[in-house]
Amino acid sequence: MRTRSALAALGAGVMLCGMAPGDMSVAAFLARAGSIERLGPLAIATPEAQYLKGQVVAAGKRYKARIDAERKAGRKTTSCPPESGSLTPDQWMAHLRSYPPQLRKSTSIYSAFDGLMRKRYPCPV
């Protein structure tokens, strides 16, 4: 019985390590963020907050690389953001919380970032 639990934990660790930055689900992100929110302003100094921030930054970089590649190839992009912009933690968390609970497990941080950019920066028609 113990061996089975250890193997399950090891398998979960391997799966988590194999995830690309930004592939974390919205549900997992919200759960992890919720665990440090009680610390208030001090939460930002925790390793967990830095990890979560890294997930969002990585998703943003993947998104920008995709948009730049689409533009370079002359294809229509899913959104038309400016070259630089800002996103507060409150704006990001509000966006993640806007996803219905039943969709949060199947929506990645990368997809959520793309969705936010579509809302904030739609392309002119």
Side-chain angles (χ1 to χ4, degrees):
M1 184 74 166
R2 226 180 226 179
T3 304
R4 190 177 305 165
S5 296
L7 287 175
L10 180 62
V14 169
M15 286 174 48
L16 288 175
C17 292
M19 289 175 34
D23 284 347
M24 177 187 291
S25 73
V26 168
F29 189 97
L30 288 173
R32 290 177 81 160
S35 72
I36 59 172
E37 278 182 324
R38 63 180 167 69
L39 299 174
L42 297 176
I44 197 71
T46 65
E48 183 71 358
Q50 295 307 309
Y51 174 77
L52 293 173
K53 180 181 176 183
Q55 289 289 309
V56 179
V57 168
K61 287 180 179 179
R62 281 176 59 191
Y63 164 83
K64 183 166 178 7
R66 190 194 84 226
I67 292 293
D68 289 348
E70 288 173 348
R71 286 178 177 159
K72 187 175 180 180
R75 293 189 301 264
K76 185 177 177 186
T77 60
T78 57
S79 57
C80 294
E83 277 302 310
S84 65
S86 64
L87 177 65
T88 69
D90 288 339
Q91 290 170 326
W92 175 246
M93 293 300 288
H95 175 68
L96 295 183
R97 289 183 179 119
S98 74
Y99 283 87
Q102 64 272 21
L103 293 180
R104 292 176 182 176
K105 283 186 179 181
S106 62
T107 305
S108 70
I109 293 301
Y110 176 71
S111 294
F113 192 92
D114 182 65
L116 180 60
M117 294 299 103
R118 288 176 194 231
K119 281 185 197 174
R120 288 181 77 174
Y121 305 110
C123 293
V125 281

